[in-house]
């Protein structure tokens, strides 16, 4: 292959890599191993724990998208489980098994119960802004946790009585009950995720809660 051809291929690869925009188009998998979370002891243990929560989910095959982006050890959540029944989840793509487990526990013990106790209605659905996205952390060259399906962005909560509580519209709501509900679900998230970012953190999070597990230094703001 000529040097000119090699240069052209290299340039094309660079131009299709991760960029720092949340609206970047998703890349076609460059390699799928066919392997899945069910084929490792750690993966099977996580699936067993997730199954015990009664969440509905499907294990997914591993996929590699290049530039460090991948969905490895992930599941697709059909619905979550509340105290008294099913909790729907909207616009959620593949998520790592630890994220799914933390999300399920938060939804039931943090969000559903807070909705009942503070707002007087059970939770019906959690609306997300997605999970996997091949991109960097805004303003940096560091790969986002979204690039490995290890984070979820939460936009709003739909209650059984029809009310919709959104982060962007209600974080500073004139209703003290609504504000208390959103602060309570934030505090609950901080107990279950290593990184929780809210509108109090910066303008980039004015319309969602960023939830990300793990981390040596938990950060909640």
């Amino acid at each position: 292959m000529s040097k000119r051809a090699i240069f052209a291929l290299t340039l094309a690869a660079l131009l299709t890599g991760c960029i720092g925009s949340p609206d970047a188009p998703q890349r076609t998998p460059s390699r799928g191993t066919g392997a899945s979370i069910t084929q490792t002891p750690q993966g099977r243990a996580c699936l067993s724990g997730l199954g015990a929560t009664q969440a509905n989910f499907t294990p997914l095959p591993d996929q590699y998208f290049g530039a460090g982006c991948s969905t490895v050890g992930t599941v697709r959540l059909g619905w979550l489980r509340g105290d008294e029944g099913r909790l729907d989840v909207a616009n959620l793509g593949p998520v790592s098994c630890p994220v799914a487990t933390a999300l399920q526990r938060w939804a039931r013990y943090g969000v559903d119960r807070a909705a009942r106790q503070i707002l007087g209605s059970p939770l019906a659905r959690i609306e997300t802004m997605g999970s996997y996205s091949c991109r960097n952390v805004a303003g940096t060259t560091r790969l986002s946790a979204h690039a490995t399906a290890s984070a979820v962005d939460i936009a709003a909560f739909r209650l059984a009585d029809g009310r919709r509580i959104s982060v962007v519209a209600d974080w500073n709501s004139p209703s003290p009950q609504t504000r208390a509900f959103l602060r309570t679900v934030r505090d609950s998230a901080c107990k279950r995720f290593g990184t929780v970012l809210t509108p109090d953190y910066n303008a980039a999070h004015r319309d969602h809660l960023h939830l990300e597990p793990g981390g040596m230094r938990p950060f909640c703001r």
Side-chain angles (χ1 to χ4, degrees):
M1 183 180 294
S2 68
K3 291 183 177 179
R4 180 175 295 179
I6 293 172
F7 175 78
L9 289 174
T10 302
L11 180 60
L14 289 173
L15 291 176
T16 56
C18 295
I19 61 177
S21 168
D23 300 318
Q26 300 305 301
R27 306 180 69 204
T28 301
S30 60
R31 181 164 58 94
T33 65
S36 74
I37 191 173
T38 61
Q39 295 176 327
T40 67
Q42 183 178 8
R44 289 192 294 271
C46 187
L47 291 180
S48 177
L50 181 58
T53 69
Q54 300 182 346
N56 176 271
F57 64 92
T58 303
L60 297 174
D62 295 345
Q63 291 186 311
Y64 297 85
F65 298 84
C69 299
S70 64
T71 52
V72 176
T74 61
V75 301
R76 185 174 298 279
L77 284 168
W79 65 81
L80 304 171
R81 181 74 181 180
D83 279 343
E84 297 182 3
R86 167 174 167 169
L87 304 175
D88 290 328
V89 57
N91 195 40
L92 185 64
V95 291
S96 69
C97 186
V99 169
T101 302
L103 187 65
Q104 161 59 44
R105 291 171 177 164
W106 175 66
R108 180 172 184 176
Y109 302 117
V111 186
D112 188 27
R113 292 185 181 181
R116 295 168 189 272
Q117 294 168 6
I118 299 173
L119 299 177
S121 175
L123 177 69
R125 182 173 72 242
I126 294 177
E127 298 177 9
T128 84
M129 296 172 68
S131 49
Y132 171 77
S133 180
C134 184
R135 68 176 190 257
N136 291 338
V137 175
T140 77
T141 58
R142 181 168 58 87
L143 206 61
S144 168
H146 287 288
T148 55
S150 297
V152 176
D153 290 339
I154 306 296
F157 308 92
R158 179 75 68 174
L159 306 186
D161 65 8
R163 280 179 289 172
R164 182 177 183 270
I165 310 299
S166 77
V167 176
V168 67
D170 297 307
W171 188 255
N172 293 312
S173 169
S175 165
Q177 290 80 15
T178 300
R179 293 197 309 273
F181 167 73
L182 288 175
R183 270 49 176 195
T184 299
V185 300
R186 175 205 55 197
D187 293 345
S188 177
C190 293
K191 297 176 182 178
R192 294 173 170 85
F193 294 89
T195 298
V196 176
L197 305 179
T198 77
D200 291 339
Y201 178 58
N202 61 18
H205 296 83
R206 67 189 181 282
D207 57 357
H208 68 278
L209 309 178
H210 171 93
L211 310 181
E212 178 184 336
M216 296 297 293
R217 298 179 179 178
F219 186 84
C220 178
R221 183 176 178 187

